Amino acid sequence: MDPPAQQTDELPVPSTGRVIVGALPGAVVAVLGVPLLASWLMDEAGDARVGWWPVPVIALVGLVAVLGHYAGATRPEGKTRTERKQMERALSAIPRKGPVPDDPLVRRAVVVSTCNNITALVVWGAVLLGMALGAGVRPEFSWFAASGGAMGLAVAAAVQLRRHWASFQALRARARAVDGDVPQIDAVPVPTVGRVLAHSVPAVLVLAVGVPLVLQWSLDGPDDALGDWSHLPVILLITVAGVLQGFVRAPRPRLGVDVDRGAMQRWLVFALVSRGLPENSRTRITAGAFACQQLEAAVLMLAGVAGLIITAIIRSSPWWAVVGALIVLIWTVQVIRARRGWIYLQLLHTADHTW
């Protein structure tokens, strides 16, 4: 779990790790999406297969941007256009090195600029990595020329980050000195529903796209029979999705082995029925983390079912759709629990108890 955002005169200063974690979902989608689109949209000569190839490319860029918006670390953005312009002017006026700025507007601009540039470095680095993988898929395409824009934006972000890094670190140090570096239970971040879903997108894509690809590759002939070892790639795919989800999931308090999960379920039911929350702050936060876990499990399960349905469509066989329907029936309880978690998280953030 990443440390909570520190406060400096009511200014949230997220940790570097929190900013990086917030950028990971979009980065993972970029790393996976670029080679997949290259394989789909280009022929072996490196030419476009279809004339509408910009549409999926724009869709990929939009998905990365949406994930960055919903999964990114909380930062003190300008509330109005005029205020954002004032922040930009203040940012250009501060020295490269020096003490912590006294002007609250300048401090806010430093935090926003640093967070944005860290995110840009992670995302554009992921795009470059995805292009490197794409070069392995379609080596005939001129990837070096295509990567020029991403490289330039990454370098620009690095230059801006270097300029304001010292001021950002000073703001973090001041925040720790003010707060005594002692995290309070109410300051532990419990993510919103949107943030939980945004951080789950990479694992969802791995399951929804990977299951039909792996099964199509593993199935032996048109009779949908799995070979002796054909189940191993499926198990490996599920393992990769689980590890990926654990790596990029929305930061939240960890559930210890001593947590009474039955009691947490009862609190979620209580919130569903009464639209109320536990009075004890520690219980409220723990139940919120448990609600995130329930929601993520249901989303990943539905992604796997979607992969099975896609397999049924590709192979023109209803058998895989039947398998997916059976899994839905088996995991119906999990979906119901996810609804409870969804409502609990909405109530938690409506009441403004966390974040």
Side-chain angles (χ1 to χ4, degrees):
M1 183 189 69
D2 288 311
Q6 304 290 339
Q7 302 292 325
T8 304
D9 297 331
E10 300 182 355
L11 174 68
V13 185
S15 66
T16 304
R18 176 68 190 90
V19 178
I20 294 175
V21 169
L24 283 180
V28 172
V29 170
V31 170
L32 299 177
V34 172
L36 284 175
L37 288 184
S39 176
W40 176 38
L41 298 176
M42 296 181 188
D43 55 25
E44 294 183 356
D47 298 323
R49 297 179 188 269
V50 292
W52 44 267
W53 62 266
V55 175
V57 174
I58 294 174
L60 177 63
V61 174
L63 178 58
V64 172
V66 169
L67 291 177
H69 175 74
Y70 284 101
T74 303
R75 62 198 69 177
E77 299 283 3
K79 298 179 181 179
T80 65
R81 179 177 300 179
T82 301
E83 188 171 301
R84 288 192 291 270
K85 290 182 178 179
Q86 291 174 346
M87 290 169 61
E88 293 174 1
R89 288 195 294 268
L91 191 64
S92 62
I94 66 172
R96 178 169 303 191
K97 295 182 181 180
V100 179
D102 294 326
D103 187 350
L105 187 64
V106 178
R107 293 204 302 268
R108 186 185 306 174
V110 168
V111 174
V112 172
S113 174
T114 305
C115 292
N116 289 343
N117 286 308
I118 292 174
T119 302
L121 274 176
V122 174
V123 172
W124 289 118
V127 171
L128 291 173
L129 178 58
M131 288 183 172
L133 297 177
V137 176
R138 292 289 185 263
E140 297 80 7
F141 182 71
S142 181
W143 290 101
F144 181 78
S147 63
M151 181 67 72
L153 291 171
V155 171
V159 171
Q160 289 295 321
L161 179 62
R162 180 177 178 272
R163 176 178 181 181
H164 304 131
W165 181 253
S167 297
F168 178 77
Q169 291 295 89
L171 286 172
R172 283 286 300 171
R174 172 183 286 188
R176 287 192 294 267
V178 170
D179 293 343
D181 205 19
V182 180
Q184 301 298 321
I185 187 66
D186 280 334
V188 177
V190 175
T192 61
V193 172
R195 189 158 291 177
V196 172
L197 296 179
H199 279 263
S200 300
V201 167
V204 166
L205 292 178
V206 167
L207 289 174
V209 178
V211 167
L213 291 178
V214 169
L215 288 176
Q216 183 74 4
W217 175 69
S218 302
L219 292 175
D220 185 15
D223 55 354
D224 291 342
L226 288 171
D228 294 337
W229 300 98
S230 300
H231 61 284
L232 292 181
V234 179
I235 296 175
L236 178 61
L237 176 69
I238 295 174
T239 302
V240 169
V243 172
L244 179 62
Q245 176 62 24
F247 184 64
V248 304
R249 72 180 185 182
R252 60 174 183 264
R254 293 180 180 179
L255 293 176
V257 295
D258 57 337
V259 171
D260 187 348
R261 295 178 179 269
M264 295 300 102
Q265 286 285 6
R266 290 191 290 273
W267 279 119
L268 298 190
V269 173
F270 171 79
L272 176 65
V273 175
S274 67
R275 293 297 192 268
L277 297 172
E279 293 294 334
N280 182 272
S281 61
R282 185 174 298 275
T283 302
R284 187 169 59 246
I285 298 298
T286 304
F290 183 76
C292 295
Q293 187 180 81
Q294 299 285 300
L295 186 57
E296 289 171 345
V299 169
L300 295 182
M301 180 272 299
L302 291 176
V305 171
L308 293 176
I309 294 175
I310 295 173
T311 304
I313 295 174
I314 293 175
R315 299 187 64 83
S316 300
S317 172
W319 189 81
W320 292 102
V322 172
V323 172
L326 290 175
I327 294 177
V328 170
L329 291 176
I330 294 173
W331 286 90
T332 298
V333 174
Q334 184 68 41
V335 175
I336 294 174
R337 291 174 176 176
R339 177 175 175 268
R340 298 170 183 169
W342 182 300
I343 293 176
Y344 185 92
L345 291 177
Q346 287 183 325
L347 291 173
L348 190 64
H349 288 275
T350 300
D352 199 27
H353 284 294
T354 61
W355 211 279

